[in-house]
Amino acid sequence: MRLTAENIAAKRGEDLLFADISFVLASGEALVLTGRNGTGKSTLLRVLAGLLRPEKGNVSWFSQDAEAGARACEACHYLGHRNAMKAELTVAENLSFWKSFFSDFLGGTGSSVSDAAEAVGLQEIIHLPFGYLSAGQQRRMAFAKLLVAYRPVWLLDEPTAALDSGAEVIITGLIGNHLAHGGIVIAATHQPLGLTNARELRMTGFAGVGEGVW
Amino acid sequence: MINLLLRDLKLSVRAGGGALIGVLFFLTVVAVIPFGVGPDLNLLSRIGPAILWIGALLSALLGLDRLFQTDREDGSLDLMLMQEHPLALTVLVKCLAHWIATGLPLVIASPLLGLFMNMNEVAIGAVMLTLLAGTPAITFIGAVGAAVAVALPRGGLLVSILVLPLAIPVLIFGVSASYAAVEEPAPFMPPFLILVALTMFFAVLGPVGAALALKNAGD
C-alpha cells in the first residue's frame, strides 16, 4: 500500500499557498504537518481528500488488490474541523449511519458502533443526542467514526483540538494502533501526537501572489 | 443507501427539521384565497386546481435550499463526496427523502384544501394524482439549484428564482391535466403522461446535474 503525492500546489483565492509538495507514504508510516496558522495545512489535507482541486500535481493510491481507476480519496478517512455528525440524532444513530454509508475498504473491517464508542472511552453515552455532548466528547465521537469502517489512510485535521489530556492519550493510542496495523496517518497538528518514527512536513506558507505554477 | 434515506427522514421530523413547514405554508396560501376572491363558489371551483398547484409549487420550493446546506455546514457533505458510490445516487436518495418529507404531505393535504376551493370529487382526485406525479419533478429540479447555491449563506430565495423557470412546464402540464379531468372535451391522458415524462426526465438529469455542481463547489 502506498499513498503518493506528486508536486502538489494549491491556491487559496489568488494566493499560492504551497507548491512542489511531494511525498510517498507506505504502510505503517505517518506524516505530521506542522506550521503556523494559515500556512496551508488544512488546505493540503483537503487536497489529499479530493475535496479541493490542486492547482498542479496529483495524489494517487496504490495497493496490490486495488481496482484500477479508484480515486485516492476512497482509501481515506477525513476528520476535518467539523465533526460531520448530526446534533439531532443520537450518537448511536450517527455512528451506525456512517458505518453503513462508508462500508469497509478492501483489506479490513471496521469495529461495531459500541466497540468504537468504547475505544474512545464514551460507551455509556451513545444513547444521547449528539448535540447534548460537550465539545471534547463530540470530538471523540467524531473520531470514533473513523473506527466503524476500515480505511487504510487517515487524514486528521487537528484531531486533538478541544480534548483533555486523558482523551489525548486515548486518541494518540488509537492512531498508534492504526499505524501498527499497517495504516497510514497524515495529521495536521499543533500538539505533539507522541508518534515515534513520524516524519514531519513543516509548512512555511508561500508569499507568491497569482503568478501561477506552470 | 436505505440508511441515508432513513437518516434524512428522521432529521426532517426531529427538532428543526421543518418537514411540516411546507404543508403549513400550503395551507396558509390556499386558505386565504377564498377570502381574497370572495364567496363566488363557481369561480372558486373553476380556479381551484390552478390555485392548489401554485400553492404546492411554492411550498415545494420553500425548503429546497436546506437540501444540501445542513450537510455542508456540519461537514457531512465532504465525507459523502469522498465515497466510492456515485454522488448522483447519493443525491437521488436525498431527493427522495426530501420529497417523502415535504412533497408527500402536500399531496395528502390537497383533498382537504380542495374542499376549501369548492372543487368536486373528480377534480380533487385529479389534482391529487397530478401532484403525486408532478411534485417529485420539482424536488429533482430544485436539487440542481440547491447544489449550485450550497455555499451561499442565504441562498433560499436564489434557489427559488433559479428553479422556478424550469418548474413552469411541470405547473403547466399539472394544471392542464387537472382541468382536463373535469372539462369534458379535453383528454386527460396526454398532459398527464407528459407530466410523468417530465418527472422521469428530471429524475435522471437532476441528480446528475446536482452531483456535478456539488463536486465543483469545493471551497
Side-chain angles (χ1 to χ4, degrees), chain A residues 52-53 71 84 86 151, chain B residues 14 71 74 83 85 216 219:
Chain A
L52 210 58
R53 200 169 291 135
R71 297 174 302 157
K86 293 287 177 194
R151 292 283 187 281
Chain B
R14 298 229 174 136
D71 278 334
D74 66 15
Q83 301 314 310
H85 20 73
N216 290 296
D219 43 335

Side-chain angles (χ1 to χ4, degrees), chain A residues 71-89:
Chain A
R71 297 174 302 157
C73 59
E74 288 166 14
C76 299
H77 262 314
Y78 172 66
L79 180 69
H81 290 294
R82 290 168 294 187
N83 291 326
M85 305 278 264
K86 293 287 177 194
E88 300 89 347
L89 300 181

Side-chain angles (χ1 to χ4, degrees), chain A residues 17-37:
Chain A
L17 266 178
F18 49 79
D20 290 329
I21 288 188
S22 303
F23 55 81
V24 179
L25 289 173
S27 194
E29 292 187 327
L31 180 69
V32 176
L33 308 177
T34 57
R36 289 178 297 112
N37 298 134

